[in-house]
PDB file of all heavy atoms in Angstrom:
ATOM      1  N   PHE A 438      -6.402  -9.343 -13.200  1.00  0.00           N
ATOM      2  CA  PHE A 438      -5.764  -8.670 -11.985  1.00  0.00           C
ATOM      3  C   PHE A 438      -4.927  -9.747 -11.230  1.00  0.00           C
ATOM      4  O   PHE A 438      -5.336 -10.830 -11.118  1.00  0.00           O
ATOM      5  CB  PHE A 438      -6.696  -7.982 -11.166  1.00  0.00           C
ATOM      6  CG  PHE A 438      -7.810  -8.864 -10.549  1.00  0.00           C
ATOM      7  CD1 PHE A 438      -7.609  -9.616  -9.462  1.00  0.00           C
ATOM      8  CD2 PHE A 438      -9.032  -8.849 -11.111  1.00  0.00           C
ATOM      9  CE1 PHE A 438      -8.703 -10.428  -8.931  1.00  0.00           C
ATOM     10  CE2 PHE A 438     -10.148  -9.615 -10.648  1.00  0.00           C
ATOM     11  CZ  PHE A 438      -9.920 -10.458  -9.539  1.00  0.00           C
ATOM     12  N   THR A 439      -3.814  -9.153 -10.790  1.00  0.00           N
ATOM     13  CA  THR A 439      -3.075  -9.716  -9.634  1.00  0.00           C
ATOM     14  C   THR A 439      -3.074  -8.598  -8.544  1.00  0.00           C
ATOM     15  O   THR A 439      -2.637  -7.533  -8.951  1.00  0.00           O
ATOM     16  CB  THR A 439      -1.718 -10.165  -9.937  1.00  0.00           C
ATOM     17  OG1 THR A 439      -1.695 -11.281 -10.760  1.00  0.00           O
ATOM     18  CG2 THR A 439      -0.939 -10.530  -8.681  1.00  0.00           C
ATOM     19  N   PHE A 440      -3.602  -8.890  -7.346  1.00  0.00           N
ATOM     20  CA  PHE A 440      -3.660  -7.832  -6.394  1.00  0.00           C
ATOM     21  C   PHE A 440      -2.646  -8.326  -5.255  1.00  0.00           C
ATOM     22  O   PHE A 440      -2.671  -9.478  -4.899  1.00  0.00           O
ATOM     23  CB  PHE A 440      -5.062  -7.838  -5.684  1.00  0.00           C
ATOM     24  CG  PHE A 440      -6.140  -7.077  -6.544  1.00  0.00           C
ATOM     25  CD1 PHE A 440      -7.331  -7.730  -6.498  1.00  0.00           C
ATOM     26  CD2 PHE A 440      -5.866  -6.063  -7.381  1.00  0.00           C
ATOM     27  CE1 PHE A 440      -8.362  -7.160  -7.304  1.00  0.00           C
ATOM     28  CE2 PHE A 440      -6.895  -5.537  -8.214  1.00  0.00           C
ATOM     29  CZ  PHE A 440      -8.169  -6.060  -8.109  1.00  0.00           C
ATOM     30  N   THR A 441      -1.910  -7.321  -4.686  1.00  0.00           N
ATOM     31  CA  THR A 441      -1.348  -7.548  -3.363  1.00  0.00           C
ATOM     32  C   THR A 441      -1.901  -6.484  -2.512  1.00  0.00           C
ATOM     33  O   THR A 441      -1.972  -5.322  -2.847  1.00  0.00           O
ATOM     34  CB  THR A 441       0.150  -7.454  -3.440  1.00  0.00           C
ATOM     35  OG1 THR A 441       0.628  -8.549  -4.260  1.00  0.00           O
ATOM     36  CG2 THR A 441       0.836  -7.635  -2.096  1.00  0.00           C
ATOM     37  N   ALA A 449      -1.731  -9.904   1.754  1.00  0.00           N
ATOM     38  CA  ALA A 449      -2.560 -10.937   0.927  1.00  0.00           C
ATOM     39  C   ALA A 449      -2.189 -10.822  -0.481  1.00  0.00           C
ATOM     40  O   ALA A 449      -1.935  -9.755  -1.082  1.00  0.00           O
ATOM     41  CB  ALA A 449      -4.103 -10.723   1.267  1.00  0.00           C
ATOM     42  N   VAL A 450      -2.441 -11.927  -1.271  1.00  0.00           N
ATOM     43  CA  VAL A 450      -2.209 -11.930  -2.669  1.00  0.00           C
ATOM     44  C   VAL A 450      -3.297 -12.749  -3.259  1.00  0.00           C
ATOM     45  O   VAL A 450      -3.817 -13.729  -2.734  1.00  0.00           O
ATOM     46  CB  VAL A 450      -0.853 -12.699  -3.074  1.00  0.00           C
ATOM     47  CG1 VAL A 450      -0.867 -12.909  -4.480  1.00  0.00           C
ATOM     48  CG2 VAL A 450       0.301 -11.983  -2.483  1.00  0.00           C
ATOM     49  N   VAL A 451      -3.936 -12.224  -4.309  1.00  0.00           N
ATOM     50  CA  VAL A 451      -5.019 -12.978  -5.135  1.00  0.00           C
ATOM     51  C   VAL A 451      -4.903 -12.553  -6.565  1.00  0.00           C
ATOM     52  O   VAL A 451      -4.603 -11.482  -7.000  1.00  0.00           O
ATOM     53  CB  VAL A 451      -6.401 -12.553  -4.433  1.00  0.00           C
ATOM     54  CG1 VAL A 451      -6.697 -11.055  -4.674  1.00  0.00           C
ATOM     55  CG2 VAL A 451      -7.535 -13.384  -5.146  1.00  0.00           C
ATOM     56  N   ARG A 452      -5.254 -13.682  -7.409  1.00  0.00           N
ATOM     57  CA  ARG A 452      -5.291 -13.446  -8.918  1.00  0.00           C
ATOM     58  C   ARG A 452      -6.727 -13.783  -9.378  1.00  0.00           C
ATOM     59  O   ARG A 452      -7.592 -14.461  -8.673  1.00  0.00           O
ATOM     60  CB  ARG A 452      -4.341 -14.430  -9.516  1.00  0.00           C
ATOM     61  CG  ARG A 452      -2.887 -14.251  -9.071  1.00  0.00           C
ATOM     62  CD  ARG A 452      -1.995 -15.319  -9.540  1.00  0.00           C
ATOM     63  NE  ARG A 452      -1.609 -15.148 -10.857  1.00  0.00           N
ATOM     64  CZ  ARG A 452      -0.984 -16.157 -11.627  1.00  0.00           C
ATOM     65  NH1 ARG A 452      -0.847 -17.367 -11.106  1.00  0.00           N
ATOM     66  NH2 ARG A 452      -0.656 -15.893 -12.766  1.00  0.00           N
ATOM     67  N   ASP A 453      -6.999 -13.133 -10.567  1.00  0.00           N
ATOM     68  CA  ASP A 453      -8.330 -13.391 -11.158  1.00  0.00           C
ATOM     69  C   ASP A 453      -8.626 -14.831 -11.501  1.00  0.00           C
ATOM     70  O   ASP A 453      -7.686 -15.681 -11.428  1.00  0.00           O
ATOM     71  CB  ASP A 453      -8.554 -12.436 -12.337  1.00  0.00           C
ATOM     72  CG  ASP A 453      -7.453 -12.809 -13.410  1.00  0.00           C
ATOM     73  OD1 ASP A 453      -7.680 -13.827 -14.079  1.00  0.00           O
ATOM     74  OD2 ASP A 453      -6.564 -12.071 -13.722  1.00  0.00           O
ATOM     75  N   PRO A 454      -9.821 -15.150 -11.953  1.00  0.00           N
ATOM     76  CA  PRO A 454     -10.105 -16.554 -12.081  1.00  0.00           C
ATOM     77  C   PRO A 454      -9.420 -17.295 -13.246  1.00  0.00           C
ATOM     78  O   PRO A 454      -9.385 -18.470 -13.327  1.00  0.00           O
ATOM     79  CB  PRO A 454     -11.715 -16.434 -12.460  1.00  0.00           C
ATOM     80  CG  PRO A 454     -12.128 -15.274 -11.709  1.00  0.00           C
ATOM     81  CD  PRO A 454     -10.994 -14.310 -11.847  1.00  0.00           C
ATOM     82  N   ILE A 455      -8.745 -16.491 -14.192  1.00  0.00           N
ATOM     83  CA  ILE A 455      -7.917 -17.122 -15.177  1.00  0.00           C
ATOM     84  C   ILE A 455      -6.495 -16.876 -14.959  1.00  0.00           C
ATOM     85  O   ILE A 455      -5.723 -17.287 -15.913  1.00  0.00           O
ATOM     86  CB  ILE A 455      -8.456 -16.747 -16.704  1.00  0.00           C
ATOM     87  CG1 ILE A 455      -8.281 -15.325 -16.833  1.00  0.00           C
ATOM     88  CG2 ILE A 455      -9.849 -17.194 -16.855  1.00  0.00           C
ATOM     89  CD1 ILE A 455      -8.470 -14.991 -18.376  1.00  0.00           C
ATOM     90  N   ALA A 456      -6.083 -16.181 -13.909  1.00  0.00           N
ATOM     91  CA  ALA A 456      -4.718 -15.940 -13.629  1.00  0.00           C
ATOM     92  C   ALA A 456      -3.973 -15.393 -14.808  1.00  0.00           C
ATOM     93  O   ALA A 456      -2.853 -15.822 -15.135  1.00  0.00           O
ATOM     94  CB  ALA A 456      -4.079 -17.254 -13.069  1.00  0.00           C
ATOM     95  N   CYS A 457      -4.596 -14.345 -15.374  1.00  0.00           N
ATOM     96  CA  CYS A 457      -3.951 -13.723 -16.557  1.00  0.00           C
ATOM     97  C   CYS A 457      -2.635 -12.985 -16.298  1.00  0.00           C
ATOM     98  O   CYS A 457      -1.682 -13.093 -17.186  1.00  0.00           O
ATOM     99  CB  CYS A 457      -4.956 -12.762 -17.099  1.00  0.00           C
ATOM    100  SG  CYS A 457      -4.522 -11.939 -18.706  1.00  0.00           S
ATOM    101  N   LYS A 458      -2.492 -12.410 -15.142  1.00  0.00           N
ATOM    102  CA  LYS A 458      -1.381 -11.469 -14.887  1.00  0.00           C
ATOM    103  C   LYS A 458      -0.405 -12.341 -14.014  1.00  0.00           C
ATOM    104  O   LYS A 458      -0.799 -13.020 -13.061  1.00  0.00           O
ATOM    105  CB  LYS A 458      -1.868 -10.297 -14.119  1.00  0.00           C
ATOM    106  CG  LYS A 458      -2.600  -9.350 -14.982  1.00  0.00           C
ATOM    107  CD  LYS A 458      -1.819  -8.886 -16.199  1.00  0.00           C
ATOM    108  CE  LYS A 458      -2.613  -7.990 -17.092  1.00  0.00           C
ATOM    109  NZ  LYS A 458      -1.869  -7.599 -18.339  1.00  0.00           N
ATOM    110  N   PRO A 459       0.841 -12.269 -14.382  1.00  0.00           N
ATOM    111  CA  PRO A 459       1.895 -13.178 -13.607  1.00  0.00           C
ATOM    112  C   PRO A 459       2.041 -12.795 -12.220  1.00  0.00           C
ATOM    113  O   PRO A 459       1.885 -11.720 -11.646  1.00  0.00           O
ATOM    114  CB  PRO A 459       3.153 -12.873 -14.457  1.00  0.00           C
ATOM    115  CG  PRO A 459       2.996 -11.529 -14.939  1.00  0.00           C
ATOM    116  CD  PRO A 459       1.498 -11.314 -15.230  1.00  0.00           C
ATOM    117  N   ALA A 460       2.460 -13.940 -11.475  1.00  0.00           N
ATOM    118  CA  ALA A 460       2.840 -13.751 -10.011  1.00  0.00           C
ATOM    119  C   ALA A 460       3.677 -15.057  -9.586  1.00  0.00           C
ATOM    120  O   ALA A 460       3.356 -16.082 -10.130  1.00  0.00           O
ATOM    121  CB  ALA A 460       1.632 -13.580  -9.081  1.00  0.00           C
ATOM    122  N   VAL A 461       4.609 -14.800  -8.784  1.00  0.00           N
ATOM    123  CA  VAL A 461       5.287 -15.849  -8.083  1.00  0.00           C
ATOM    124  C   VAL A 461       5.547 -15.621  -6.733  1.00  0.00           C
ATOM    125  O   VAL A 461       5.618 -14.474  -6.303  1.00  0.00           O
ATOM    126  CB  VAL A 461       6.801 -16.156  -8.877  1.00  0.00           C
ATOM    127  CG1 VAL A 461       7.513 -14.884  -8.751  1.00  0.00           C
ATOM    128  CG2 VAL A 461       7.447 -17.221  -8.264  1.00  0.00           C
ATOM    129  N   MET A 462       5.481 -16.573  -5.818  1.00  0.00           N
ATOM    130  CA  MET A 462       5.709 -16.452  -4.414  1.00  0.00           C
ATOM    131  C   MET A 462       6.861 -17.337  -3.927  1.00  0.00           C
ATOM    132  O   MET A 462       7.147 -18.472  -4.528  1.00  0.00           O
ATOM    133  CB  MET A 462       4.392 -16.700  -3.620  1.00  0.00           C
ATOM    134  CG  MET A 462       3.248 -15.997  -4.186  1.00  0.00           C
ATOM    135  SD  MET A 462       1.786 -16.002  -3.058  1.00  0.00           S
ATOM    136  CE  MET A 462       2.513 -15.084  -1.610  1.00  0.00           C
ATOM    137  N   ALA A 463       7.436 -16.942  -2.811  1.00  0.00           N
ATOM    138  CA  ALA A 463       8.543 -17.682  -2.167  1.00  0.00           C
ATOM    139  C   ALA A 463       8.351 -17.620  -0.705  1.00  0.00           C
ATOM    140  O   ALA A 463       8.109 -16.581  -0.072  1.00  0.00           O
ATOM    141  CB  ALA A 463       9.849 -17.207  -2.598  1.00  0.00           C
ATOM    142  N   VAL A 469       7.947 -14.325   3.687  1.00  0.00           N
ATOM    143  CA  VAL A 469       7.214 -14.669   2.544  1.00  0.00           C
ATOM    144  C   VAL A 469       7.363 -13.523   1.588  1.00  0.00           C
ATOM    145  O   VAL A 469       7.251 -12.316   1.975  1.00  0.00           O
ATOM    146  CB  VAL A 469       5.769 -14.839   2.884  1.00  0.00           C
ATOM    147  CG1 VAL A 469       4.965 -15.181   1.643  1.00  0.00           C
ATOM    148  CG2 VAL A 469       5.461 -15.854   3.955  1.00  0.00           C
ATOM    149  N   ALA A 470       7.641 -13.785   0.314  1.00  0.00           N
ATOM    150  CA  ALA A 470       7.826 -12.817  -0.629  1.00  0.00           C
ATOM    151  C   ALA A 470       7.074 -13.118  -1.957  1.00  0.00           C
ATOM    152  O   ALA A 470       6.672 -14.289  -2.200  1.00  0.00           O
ATOM    153  CB  ALA A 470       9.310 -12.626  -1.111  1.00  0.00           C
ATOM    154  N   MET A 471       6.596 -12.029  -2.705  1.00  0.00           N
ATOM    155  CA  MET A 471       5.907 -12.273  -3.963  1.00  0.00           C
ATOM    156  C   MET A 471       6.404 -11.226  -4.927  1.00  0.00           C
ATOM    157  O   MET A 471       6.923 -10.204  -4.585  1.00  0.00           O
ATOM    158  CB  MET A 471       4.372 -12.132  -3.807  1.00  0.00           C
ATOM    159  CG  MET A 471       3.743 -10.767  -3.546  1.00  0.00           C
ATOM    160  SD  MET A 471       3.658  -9.741  -5.131  1.00  0.00           S
ATOM    161  CE  MET A 471       2.566 -10.828  -6.060  1.00  0.00           C
ATOM    162  N   ALA A 472       6.319 -11.574  -6.231  1.00  0.00           N
ATOM    163  CA  ALA A 472       6.606 -10.623  -7.299  1.00  0.00           C
ATOM    164  C   ALA A 472       5.947 -11.022  -8.517  1.00  0.00           C
ATOM    165  O   ALA A 472       5.471 -12.118  -8.669  1.00  0.00           O
ATOM    166  CB  ALA A 472       8.165 -10.615  -7.432  1.00  0.00           C
ATOM    167  N   SER A 473       5.907 -10.120  -9.454  1.00  0.00           N
ATOM    168  CA  SER A 473       5.390 -10.451 -10.809  1.00  0.00           C
ATOM    169  C   SER A 473       6.319 -11.326 -11.548  1.00  0.00           C
ATOM    170  O   SER A 473       5.918 -12.002 -12.492  1.00  0.00           O
ATOM    171  CB  SER A 473       5.219  -9.134 -11.507  1.00  0.00           C
ATOM    172  OG  SER A 473       4.203  -8.191 -10.997  1.00  0.00           O
ATOM    173  N   LEU A 478      13.092 -11.832  -6.883  1.00  0.00           N
ATOM    174  CA  LEU A 478      13.265 -12.506  -5.657  1.00  0.00           C
ATOM    175  C   LEU A 478      14.611 -13.058  -5.386  1.00  0.00           C
ATOM    176  O   LEU A 478      15.081 -13.552  -4.487  1.00  0.00           O
ATOM    177  CB  LEU A 478      12.285 -13.690  -5.490  1.00  0.00           C
ATOM    178  CG  LEU A 478      10.767 -13.473  -5.719  1.00  0.00           C
ATOM    179  CD1 LEU A 478       9.894 -14.728  -5.679  1.00  0.00           C
ATOM    180  CD2 LEU A 478      10.224 -12.406  -4.752  1.00  0.00           C
ATOM    181  N   ARG A 488      10.596 -22.408  -0.689  1.00  0.00           N
ATOM    182  CA  ARG A 488       9.537 -23.133  -1.463  1.00  0.00           C
ATOM    183  C   ARG A 488       9.019 -21.950  -2.380  1.00  0.00           C
ATOM    184  O   ARG A 488       8.519 -20.903  -1.990  1.00  0.00           O
ATOM    185  CB  ARG A 488       8.414 -23.400  -0.459  1.00  0.00           C
ATOM    186  CG  ARG A 488       7.336 -24.188  -1.159  1.00  0.00           C
ATOM    187  CD  ARG A 488       6.292 -24.823  -0.087  1.00  0.00           C
ATOM    188  NE  ARG A 488       5.533 -23.666   0.598  1.00  0.00           N
ATOM    189  CZ  ARG A 488       4.300 -23.366   0.005  1.00  0.00           C
ATOM    190  NH1 ARG A 488       3.862 -23.852  -0.981  1.00  0.00           N
ATOM    191  NH2 ARG A 488       3.647 -22.428   0.695  1.00  0.00           N
ATOM    192  N   VAL A 489       9.095 -22.256  -3.641  1.00  0.00           N
ATOM    193  CA  VAL A 489       8.662 -21.351  -4.673  1.00  0.00           C
ATOM    194  C   VAL A 489       7.502 -21.898  -5.466  1.00  0.00           C
ATOM    195  O   VAL A 489       7.527 -23.057  -5.831  1.00  0.00           O
ATOM    196  CB  VAL A 489       9.805 -20.954  -5.643  1.00  0.00           C
ATOM    197  CG1 VAL A 489       9.338 -19.994  -6.680  1.00  0.00           C
ATOM    198  CG2 VAL A 489      11.033 -20.458  -4.827  1.00  0.00           C
ATOM    199  N   TRP A 490       6.412 -21.071  -5.691  1.00  0.00           N
ATOM    200  CA  TRP A 490       5.325 -21.529  -6.436  1.00  0.00           C
ATOM    201  C   TRP A 490       4.556 -20.402  -7.125  1.00  0.00           C
ATOM    202  O   TRP A 490       4.789 -19.328  -6.828  1.00  0.00           O
ATOM    203  CB  TRP A 490       4.395 -22.355  -5.561  1.00  0.00           C
ATOM    204  CG  TRP A 490       3.499 -21.492  -4.665  1.00  0.00           C
ATOM    205  CD1 TRP A 490       2.230 -21.100  -4.724  1.00  0.00           C
ATOM    206  CD2 TRP A 490       3.899 -20.832  -3.384  1.00  0.00           C
ATOM    207  NE1 TRP A 490       1.765 -20.348  -3.715  1.00  0.00           N
ATOM    208  CE2 TRP A 490       2.814 -20.227  -2.800  1.00  0.00           C
ATOM    209  CE3 TRP A 490       5.183 -20.912  -2.610  1.00  0.00           C
ATOM    210  CZ2 TRP A 490       2.896 -19.536  -1.547  1.00  0.00           C
ATOM    211  CZ3 TRP A 490       5.243 -20.205  -1.385  1.00  0.00           C
ATOM    212  CH2 TRP A 490       4.069 -19.583  -0.857  1.00  0.00           C
ATOM    213  N   GLU A 491       3.671 -20.717  -7.987  1.00  0.00           N
ATOM    214  CA  GLU A 491       2.869 -19.708  -8.705  1.00  0.00           C
ATOM    215  C   GLU A 491       1.503 -19.794  -8.003  1.00  0.00           C
ATOM    216  O   GLU A 491       0.861 -20.763  -8.020  1.00  0.00           O
ATOM    217  CB  GLU A 491       2.773 -20.070 -10.196  1.00  0.00           C
ATOM    218  CG  GLU A 491       1.870 -19.054 -10.913  1.00  0.00           C
ATOM    219  CD  GLU A 491       1.737 -19.319 -12.469  1.00  0.00           C
ATOM    220  OE1 GLU A 491       2.583 -20.199 -12.928  1.00  0.00           O
ATOM    221  OE2 GLU A 491       0.804 -18.811 -13.057  1.00  0.00           O
ATOM    222  N   PRO A 492       0.997 -18.571  -7.576  1.00  0.00           N
ATOM    223  CA  PRO A 492      -0.395 -18.585  -6.988  1.00  0.00           C
ATOM    224  C   PRO A 492      -1.438 -19.100  -7.903  1.00  0.00           C
ATOM    225  O   PRO A 492      -1.425 -18.703  -9.001  1.00  0.00           O
ATOM    226  CB  PRO A 492      -0.458 -17.125  -6.539  1.00  0.00           C
ATOM    227  CG  PRO A 492       0.812 -16.452  -6.611  1.00  0.00           C
ATOM    228  CD  PRO A 492       1.571 -17.316  -7.567  1.00  0.00           C
ATOM    229  N   GLU A 493      -2.351 -19.875  -7.337  1.00  0.00           N
ATOM    230  CA  GLU A 493      -3.389 -20.379  -8.107  1.00  0.00           C
ATOM    231  C   GLU A 493      -4.487 -19.368  -8.495  1.00  0.00           C
ATOM    232  O   GLU A 493      -4.641 -18.356  -7.644  1.00  0.00           O
ATOM    233  CB  GLU A 493      -4.093 -21.523  -7.449  1.00  0.00           C
ATOM    234  CG  GLU A 493      -3.146 -22.762  -7.191  1.00  0.00           C
ATOM    235  CD  GLU A 493      -2.809 -23.530  -8.519  1.00  0.00           C
ATOM    236  OE1 GLU A 493      -3.656 -23.371  -9.380  1.00  0.00           O
ATOM    237  OE2 GLU A 493      -1.755 -24.107  -8.626  1.00  0.00           O
ATOM    238  N   PRO A 494      -5.265 -19.587  -9.621  1.00  0.00           N
ATOM    239  CA  PRO A 494      -6.305 -18.602  -9.866  1.00  0.00           C
ATOM    240  C   PRO A 494      -7.370 -18.638  -8.693  1.00  0.00           C
ATOM    241  O   PRO A 494      -7.594 -19.676  -8.084  1.00  0.00           O
ATOM    242  CB  PRO A 494      -6.928 -19.168 -11.119  1.00  0.00           C
ATOM    243  CG  PRO A 494      -5.975 -20.082 -11.696  1.00  0.00           C
ATOM    244  CD  PRO A 494      -5.141 -20.637 -10.565  1.00  0.00           C
ATOM    245  N   SER A 495      -7.927 -17.474  -8.506  1.00  0.00           N
ATOM    246  CA  SER A 495      -9.164 -17.461  -7.596  1.00  0.00           C
ATOM    247  C   SER A 495      -8.737 -17.979  -6.072  1.00  0.00           C
ATOM    248  O   SER A 495      -9.703 -18.438  -5.547  1.00  0.00           O
ATOM    249  CB  SER A 495     -10.424 -17.994  -8.140  1.00  0.00           C
ATOM    250  OG  SER A 495     -10.788 -17.403  -9.285  1.00  0.00           O
ATOM    251  N   THR A 496      -7.523 -17.953  -5.766  1.00  0.00           N
ATOM    252  CA  THR A 496      -7.125 -18.431  -4.574  1.00  0.00           C
ATOM    253  C   THR A 496      -6.489 -17.328  -3.674  1.00  0.00           C
ATOM    254  O   THR A 496      -5.755 -16.457  -4.191  1.00  0.00           O
ATOM    255  CB  THR A 496      -6.077 -19.497  -4.708  1.00  0.00           C
ATOM    256  OG1 THR A 496      -6.602 -20.581  -5.558  1.00  0.00           O
ATOM    257  CG2 THR A 496      -5.664 -20.192  -3.386  1.00  0.00           C
ATOM    258  N   ILE A 497      -6.964 -17.205  -2.510  1.00  0.00           N
ATOM    259  CA  ILE A 497      -6.658 -16.112  -1.547  1.00  0.00           C
ATOM    260  C   ILE A 497      -5.468 -16.639  -0.645  1.00  0.00           C
ATOM    261  O   ILE A 497      -5.631 -17.667   0.153  1.00  0.00           O
ATOM    262  CB  ILE A 497      -7.777 -15.644  -0.597  1.00  0.00           C
ATOM    263  CG1 ILE A 497      -8.784 -15.156  -1.686  1.00  0.00           C
ATOM    264  CG2 ILE A 497      -7.402 -14.575   0.292  1.00  0.00           C
ATOM    265  CD1 ILE A 497     -10.210 -14.988  -1.021  1.00  0.00           C
ATOM    266  N   TYR A 498      -4.352 -15.861  -0.614  1.00  0.00           N
ATOM    267  CA  TYR A 498      -3.268 -16.165   0.135  1.00  0.00           C
ATOM    268  C   TYR A 498      -3.002 -15.063   1.196  1.00  0.00           C
ATOM    269  O   TYR A 498      -2.987 -13.906   0.718  1.00  0.00           O
ATOM    270  CB  TYR A 498      -2.030 -16.324  -0.697  1.00  0.00           C
ATOM    271  CG  TYR A 498      -2.008 -17.384  -1.736  1.00  0.00           C
ATOM    272  CD1 TYR A 498      -2.577 -17.216  -2.964  1.00  0.00           C
ATOM    273  CD2 TYR A 498      -1.403 -18.679  -1.414  1.00  0.00           C
ATOM    274  CE1 TYR A 498      -2.720 -18.305  -3.986  1.00  0.00           C
ATOM    275  CE2 TYR A 498      -1.525 -19.672  -2.435  1.00  0.00           C
ATOM    276  CZ  TYR A 498      -2.117 -19.535  -3.615  1.00  0.00           C
ATOM    277  OH  TYR A 498      -2.130 -20.526  -4.607  1.00  0.00           O
ATOM    278  N   TRP A 500      -0.969 -13.875   4.825  1.00  0.00           N
ATOM    279  CA  TRP A 500      -0.167 -14.044   5.973  1.00  0.00           C
ATOM    280  C   TRP A 500      -0.234 -12.853   6.921  1.00  0.00           C
ATOM    281  O   TRP A 500      -0.106 -11.707   6.518  1.00  0.00           O
ATOM    282  CB  TRP A 500       1.356 -14.116   5.493  1.00  0.00           C
ATOM    283  CG  TRP A 500       1.728 -15.509   4.867  1.00  0.00           C
ATOM    284  CD1 TRP A 500       2.239 -16.584   5.544  1.00  0.00           C
ATOM    285  CD2 TRP A 500       1.492 -15.940   3.475  1.00  0.00           C
ATOM    286  NE1 TRP A 500       2.469 -17.570   4.626  1.00  0.00           N
ATOM    287  CE2 TRP A 500       1.992 -17.100   3.463  1.00  0.00           C
ATOM    288  CE3 TRP A 500       0.908 -15.222   2.354  1.00  0.00           C
ATOM    289  CZ2 TRP A 500       1.963 -17.947   2.232  1.00  0.00           C
ATOM    290  CZ3 TRP A 500       0.849 -15.882   1.229  1.00  0.00           C
ATOM    291  CH2 TRP A 500       1.468 -17.231   1.154  1.00  0.00           C
ATOM    292  N   ARG A 508      -5.239 -20.169   3.149  1.00  0.00           N
ATOM    293  CA  ARG A 508      -5.476 -20.244   1.841  1.00  0.00           C
ATOM    294  C   ARG A 508      -6.930 -20.399   1.571  1.00  0.00           C
ATOM    295  O   ARG A 508      -7.419 -21.435   2.146  1.00  0.00           O
ATOM    296  CB  ARG A 508      -4.603 -21.289   1.082  1.00  0.00           C
ATOM    297  CG  ARG A 508      -3.111 -20.954   1.372  1.00  0.00           C
ATOM    298  CD  ARG A 508      -2.277 -21.623   0.315  1.00  0.00           C
ATOM    299  NE  ARG A 508      -0.903 -21.172   0.584  1.00  0.00           N
ATOM    300  CZ  ARG A 508       0.037 -22.079   0.992  1.00  0.00           C
ATOM    301  NH1 ARG A 508      -0.163 -23.336   1.105  1.00  0.00           N
ATOM    302  NH2 ARG A 508       1.365 -21.692   1.227  1.00  0.00           N
TER     303      ARG A 508
END
Side-chain angles (χ1 to χ4, degrees):
F438 55 83
T439 293
F440 293 140
T441 299
V450 176
V451 63
R452 302 170 79 192
D453 65 71
I455 63 171
C457 180
K458 295 299 179 178
V461 61
M462 303 195 70
V469 180
M471 75 80 56
S473 296
L478 306 179
R488 182 173 73 93
V489 178
W490 75 99
E491 181 179 344
E493 296 292 333
S495 297
T496 302
I497 297 163
Y498 299 83
W500 282 265
R508 302 203 177 114

